[in-house]
Amino acid sequence: MKVLIAAGIVIVPFSMVIIERFWYKGRFLFNCLAYVAFVIFGFIASSAIHTILRDQEVFMTSIHGIFLNTWFLVTGAYIGWYTLYSVLLVTLAEHPKNKEIRT
């Protein structure tokens, strides 16, 4: 399982860059999905914290129940992939070979 996770961390962002290069609407799609993922992730996290504070459950195990939420995990995974994809785009844009082409 750890090999699949490590492979996904490397392969998915590179795949996103390739898709974005060959399909011009790819970047727009990835940005829209990231926005939706951030909204869902933030809502789940904030509502879980609000519930814990409202019910005065200050135990560490209470907040860890959020990891049982499938949507929290899926959106968190996409946010991680999207962040790596964004860093990869910036890295590729700042490569000296690409700077010569643009100037």
Side-chain angles (χ1 to χ4, degrees):
M1 186 63 171
K2 291 181 182 180
V3 172
L4 284 174
I5 293 171
I9 290 171
V10 174
I11 293 170
V12 172
F14 275 103
S15 299
M16 291 170 76
V17 169
I18 292 168
I19 290 169
E20 181 255 333
R21 297 282 188 217
F22 291 107
W23 185 46
Y24 70 97
K25 292 182 182 178
R27 183 179 291 198
F28 180 74
L29 175 67
F30 296 146
N31 290 339
C32 289
L33 288 174
Y35 179 79
V36 171
F38 274 107
V39 169
I40 292 171
F41 187 86
F43 176 77
I44 293 170
S46 62
S47 64
I49 292 170
H50 174 263
T51 302
I52 288 169
L53 292 175
R54 183 193 64 206
D55 298 341
Q56 296 180 353
E57 296 176 350
V58 289
F59 301 111
M60 291 299 290
T61 54
S62 299
I63 193 63
H64 286 96
I66 198 169
F67 294 123
L68 299 174
N69 188 324
T70 305
W71 284 104
F72 181 81
L73 296 175
V74 169
T75 55
Y78 185 76
I79 289 168
W81 287 332
Y82 180 79
T83 303
L84 292 172
Y85 157 74
S86 298
V87 169
L88 193 55
L89 284 180
V90 169
T91 302
L92 292 173
E94 291 181 353
H95 190 273
K97 183 177 179 182
N98 293 334
K99 283 190 175 190
E100 291 172 10
I101 293 171
R102 276 198 249 147
T103 57

